[in-house]
Amino acid sequence: MKFSNMVEDAMQKEWIITNGLGGYASGTVAGSNSRCYHGLLIAALEPPTNRKTFLAKIEERVLINEMYHDLSCNQYKETIYPKGLDYLKNFEPKPFPKWNYQGENWKVVKNVLMPQKENTTLIYYKNVGDQTIDLELHPLYSFADFHTTFQENTETDFYSEFSENSFKTYAKYGAQPFFTAWSKGIFTENRSWYKDIQLAVEKERGLPDSTDYYRIGYVTCRLKPDEEIILSFSVDEITKSVAISQKYKKTITASEDFYSPKNEGFYTDLLASGKQFLVYRQSTQSDSIIAGYHWFSDWGRDTMIAMRGLTISVGDQKASKSILKTFLEYVDQGMLPNRFQDNASDQVEYNTIDATLWLFVALYEYHQRFADTEFMEQNSSILQSILQAHLDGTRYNIHVTEQGFLYGGQAGVQLTWMDAIVDGTVITPRIGCPVEINMLWYNALQIYKLFCKKLNHELNHEFLEVISSFEVNFSKYFINSEGTLYDVIVPNTSADTSFRSNQIYALSLPFTVLNQAQQKIIFEALKYKLWTPFGLRTLAEDDAQFIAVYEGNQWNRDHAYHQGTVWPFLLGEYYQAFFKLYGNSEENRKRVVDELKELRAHFYVENGLHCISEIFDGALPLDGKGCIQQAWSVAAILKLYADFELHTIDSNSI
């Protein structure tokens, strides 16, 4: 991927690598930081949360023939400096981020890697030219929660204890220490602040957009042709040069092995992208899924939806089982947690009505894929208690109506996936009986019924009565005069006529109450009103509440979040419904691959490279918005490719 002299392009495109703990390294292709979330070592101190930025970036200089050539790049208020893009010839995002710099008579390659299950970043430089060069490397440090910018202050003095080829640093008294080490070269202490670096994306988002970084000193190293230097930055002590080299070789081999020539292609790249979300949760000593990078933690709803593509469909039983166990342990009052906070000591949040219901779908698909009856047996009582809690009534006025529908909601609380809230105001409150919640409720009942049959358990008669009532009443209450579905109803009181993507779940989930004719009417309406190559709109364009563009400060962005904004993860449900209704023929599979080509191009060359964005604008969905790498966006496409073997007919490449 070439970026020579394409300043704006390279400063907008982003890369990310992760460490399986919730930590990561990320930045722009240009080497400049445009977010507070960018940095070369964002460590998860309480995996996968409590993330802090330790290493912001490195300022790099090549000295040859008594002339300096700066490779780095920063955005200041009035200028871009240095302008290392003048030397950037190309960038390769896989199997790890790789930069190729070239001047008139010199060439340098740079790699960034993260060993798995460690809060460590390794940065590698190699002289691939014909002449000896001197390399000067200036690490710039930060010490801030990754949600915030870092500013010069008197408290953080970056006290350091120096050794031969490493030093240990405390950003401030009593802070978590971190280690800087290098495989060769000389370190010169030379302290200074780098002030007022501008973060363009944060400015667009209406957030603090100026940050400071701190330099302790710099490493100089003379490199003959084919010689290299490796820098290590870690919260764990790695000081011996041989250990640094060994760790680098082990990490690079693991990265390269995944991309053998026989594994080339979009599906393989999706698999690698999907692995970035799998993390270890320290508090439960089990696996979990980060909802999105850069800023999300592991959320119940997102995890239950995303794991269907990230672990179940691709055959990773171990991770699937571990994730399910993690969340089953946190069931409380019949509810799954929606969010683990960024600090493990904070309270777990239970403000979700659908995460618990998605648990049943995930368990159903887990059993379909792995036939793990023993696991179903072990957790059968928990599933029964969940359903019973909903029948008895639980938090947030969640209860079952006389029609068999699931009702939930109260003022000031966001319970469904359309959960934007600004200054205590829920933008799409959806109090009552939302359509997707009720299809999930029906599926939860049917799935539990199926499990009882397989396990020879007696099914609670009350559950059967609710199923019967639901089946009798759903069409009567939810189908409107056009044959599509109301978004939210309050039985015998009100019906929300907004045409939203939520009704896709009446078609895509394992169990439905609609006949095929009814389903096709809904599908064709969804296709006509909401489908785009990047996802489904959350609201029809002819609705007075439709917002065409997702932009501005948090108030503006959250008001647009579910009012027409396009979500890629809904394509998974859309095409699941398509295959169920129109058949899994080769012709239909080719059609789906063809319709996904624009999203595939986005994956490779737009926004986050080898990423799928969280959302797109509702009117003209072109550029990715929200976070650059969203778990259920990647998972939805990965699940389609795995379930319907789309990779066997996808001969296209980017």
Side-chain angles (χ1 to χ4, degrees):
M1 184 172 294
K2 295 184 178 180
F3 288 91
S4 179
N5 297 320
M6 298 171 64
V7 175
E8 184 177 351
D9 198 37
M11 293 187 72
Q12 289 180 347
K13 287 179 169 48
E14 301 174 61
W15 59 271
I16 186 168
I17 54 174
T18 64
N19 65 3
L21 296 175
Y24 63 86
S26 182
T28 67
V29 168
S32 59
N33 289 346
S34 61
R35 303 178 185 268
C36 67
Y37 298 100
H38 281 162
L40 293 178
L41 177 59
I42 290 84
L45 301 181
E46 298 174 83
T49 56
N50 191 12
R51 287 171 280 189
K52 283 186 167 55
T53 305
F54 288 90
L55 177 67
K57 66 192 306 276
I58 297 181
E59 300 288 273
E60 303 125 337
R61 312 186 81 188
V62 171
L63 176 62
I64 186 170
N65 297 332
E66 299 183 351
M67 289 188 62
Y68 276 108
H69 306 272
D70 291 294
L71 309 186
S72 55
C73 184
N74 296 303
Q75 176 72 63
Y76 291 98
K77 288 183 178 180
E78 302 296 334
T79 189
I80 296 171
Y81 181 82
K83 294 184 178 180
L85 279 169
D86 292 344
Y87 303 111
L88 179 59
K89 298 308 173 185
N90 63 66
F91 171 82
E92 302 168 24
K94 75 170 188 180
F96 39 77
K98 179 180 179 180
W99 291 259
N100 288 277
Y101 296 98
Q102 181 177 339
E104 183 177 347
N105 51 1
W106 59 269
K107 294 180 182 179
V108 171
V109 168
K110 169 186 171 183
N111 299 335
V112 176
L113 296 92
M114 296 193 88
Q116 290 303 289
K117 302 298 190 289
E118 296 183 31
N119 284 309
T120 299
T121 299
L122 302 171
I123 306 176
Y124 167 97
Y125 299 88
K126 184 176 183 179
N127 179 1
V128 293
D130 298 326
Q131 298 190 42
T132 297
I133 63 171
D134 289 307
L135 196 60
E136 195 173 285
L137 305 171
H138 301 245
L140 301 187
Y141 298 94
S142 175
F143 189 72
D145 180 274
F146 80 140
H147 291 303
T148 64
T149 56
F150 184 56
Q151 309 298 329
E152 179 181 0
N153 63 88
T154 57
E155 195 172 295
T156 49
D157 59 359
F158 290 92
Y159 169 78
S160 298
E161 299 171 354
F162 296 93
S163 300
E164 182 179 354
N165 70 316
S166 67
F167 56 89
K168 180 180 182 179
T169 300
Y170 298 85
K172 63 180 181 179
Y173 181 78
Q176 164 79 46
F178 60 93
F179 299 84
T180 302
W182 50 96
S183 61
K184 62 169 62 174
I186 299 171
F187 181 82
T188 302
E189 186 173 5
N190 188 353
R191 293 173 176 265
S192 65
W193 284 93
Y194 282 58
K195 297 283 293 178
D196 297 325
I197 292 172
Q198 300 300 293
L199 306 174
V201 176
E202 303 303 343
K203 184 175 183 178
E204 292 173 6
R205 300 174 72 225
L207 298 172
D209 59 357
S210 178
T211 193
D212 303 335
Y213 300 138
Y214 188 80
R215 183 184 69 185
I216 298 172
Y218 56 91
V219 175
T220 54
C221 180
R222 176 156 293 179
L223 296 179
K224 296 178 181 178
D226 292 325
E227 287 189 339
E228 60 196 34
I229 178 176
I230 305 168
L231 273 63
S232 169
F233 303 89
S234 180
V235 298
D236 302 311
E237 188 166 8
I238 309 173
T239 59
K240 302 297 184 183
S241 60
V242 63
I244 297 171
S245 297
Q246 288 174 347
K247 185 173 288 293
Y248 174 80
K249 290 176 182 177
K250 182 179 179 181
T251 306
I252 202 170
T253 298
S255 299
E256 290 176 334
D257 283 351
F258 189 84
Y259 288 101
S260 64
K262 66 180 181 180
N263 287 336
E264 284 295 320
F266 182 45
Y267 182 58
T268 298
D269 294 340
L270 276 175
L271 284 169
S273 181
K275 287 181 181 296
Q276 292 186 327
F277 302 103
L278 301 182
V279 295
Y280 170 76
R281 171 159 277 282
Q282 181 175 277
S283 63
T284 58
Q285 298 186 24
S286 58
D287 293 332
S288 192
I289 290 176
I290 288 288
Y293 293 102
H294 300 89
W295 48 79
F296 292 126
S297 59
D298 45 345
W299 290 33
R301 174 189 300 116
D302 295 62
T303 298
M304 292 301 106
I305 294 173
M307 70 176 295
R308 299 161 64 216
L310 298 183
T311 64
I312 295 174
S313 286
V314 300
D316 189 345
Q317 182 177 7
K318 182 180 178 181
S320 300
K321 191 172 184 176
S322 182
I323 292 164
L324 290 167
K325 287 176 66 177
T326 297
F327 282 86
L328 283 163
E329 290 177 6
Y330 278 87
V331 170
D332 183 83
Q333 298 182 46
M335 297 177 68
L336 224 63
N338 188 41
R339 182 184 178 189
F340 293 104
Q341 296 282 26
D342 279 342
N343 292 289
S345 58
D346 292 342
Q347 290 293 315
V348 176
E349 295 180 359
Y350 285 88
N351 59 324
T352 170
I353 192 172
D354 52 348
T356 315
L357 306 176
W358 276 113
L359 168 68
F360 285 81
V361 177
L363 284 167
Y364 172 81
E365 294 181 357
Y366 173 86
H367 184 71
Q368 293 289 101
R369 184 69 172 80
F370 305 114
D372 189 352
T373 304
E374 181 182 357
F375 187 63
M376 298 303 108
E377 180 75 66
Q378 292 169 352
N379 294 285
S380 177
S381 60
I382 297 178
L383 301 184
Q384 180 177 350
S385 71
I386 289 171
L387 296 177
Q388 191 62 55
H390 284 68
L391 287 173
D392 295 340
T394 185
R395 295 180 178 90
Y396 310 118
N397 198 21
I398 296 173
H399 66 275
V400 178
T401 71
E402 63 182 68
Q403 294 83 11
F405 303 149
L406 192 63
Y407 181 105
Q410 63 186 46
V413 179
Q414 73 281 40
L415 293 180
T416 74
W417 81 276
M418 293 187 163
D419 58 357
I421 183 169
V422 184
D423 297 330
T425 299
V426 179
I427 309 304
T428 48
R430 307 182 75 225
I431 296 173
C433 304
V435 62
E436 85 283 7
I437 299 303
N438 276 274
M439 287 313 305
L440 285 164
W441 167 241
Y442 178 71
N443 273 264
L445 290 164
Q446 289 285 15
I447 289 166
Y448 180 70
K449 177 182 174 182
L450 178 68
F451 288 165
C452 284
K453 182 178 180 180
K454 289 183 177 293
L455 299 172
N456 294 316
H457 290 181
E458 184 177 352
L459 181 64
N460 187 325
H461 186 70
E462 189 177 7
F463 296 169
L464 288 173
E465 290 180 345
V466 174
I467 291 173
S468 178
S469 295
F470 189 101
E471 291 173 341
V472 168
N473 290 305
F474 184 84
S475 294
K476 174 184 175 183
Y477 283 90
F478 274 94
I479 295 182
N480 58 38
S481 59
E482 296 180 353
T484 58
L485 302 177
Y486 293 120
D487 189 57
V488 183
I489 68 162
V490 177
N492 304 316
T493 302
S494 64
D496 183 351
T497 60
S498 304
F499 190 85
R500 293 188 179 276
S501 51
N502 300 309
Q503 57 193 296
I504 189 63
Y505 295 106
L507 317 181
S508 64
L509 290 172
F511 300 92
T512 184
V513 295
L514 302 174
N515 62 42
Q516 192 170 67
Q518 292 170 320
Q519 293 179 61
K520 284 187 175 181
I521 290 172
I522 295 168
F523 183 85
E524 293 302 321
L526 287 164
K527 176 183 175 183
Y528 176 70
K529 292 187 175 184
L530 302 184
W531 181 88
T532 80
F534 298 98
L536 298 187
R537 295 185 178 94
T538 43
L539 185 64
E541 290 181 280
D542 59 4
D543 193 294
Q545 301 300 312
F546 178 82
I547 298 177
V549 180
Y550 177 90
E551 63 181 1
N553 59 25
Q554 185 177 354
W555 191 94
N556 290 324
R557 286 183 281 112
D558 281 355
H559 274 74
Y561 209 31
H562 303 106
Q563 298 293 80
T565 296
V566 168
W567 290 73
F569 88 96
L570 294 169
L571 282 180
E573 305 301 325
Y574 175 85
Y575 286 117
Q576 290 282 343
F578 170 73
F579 283 124
K580 285 174 67 175
L581 288 171
Y582 298 101
N584 182 17
S585 65
E586 183 172 351
E587 180 183 359
N588 281 341
R589 289 189 293 140
K590 287 181 178 178
R591 171 182 166 178
V592 172
V593 167
D594 185 62
E595 290 183 356
L596 289 172
K597 65 183 180 182
E598 291 188 58
L599 190 61
R600 183 173 55 226
H602 163 81
F603 174 84
Y604 281 112
V605 299
E606 300 295 338
N607 303 106
L609 302 179
H610 284 232
C611 302
I612 301 181
S613 295
E614 179 187 7
I615 51 177
F616 292 79
D617 288 337
L620 294 172
L622 296 173
D623 294 327
K625 302 288 184 75
C627 76
I628 64 168
Q629 175 71 323
Q630 185 79 355
W632 60 16
S633 296
V634 174
I637 310 306
L638 191 54
K639 179 173 171 59
L640 286 174
Y641 268 71
D643 288 357
F644 300 102
E645 298 185 333
L646 299 184
H647 54 285
T648 64
I649 60 171
D650 183 1
S651 60
N652 296 309
S653 61
I654 300 297

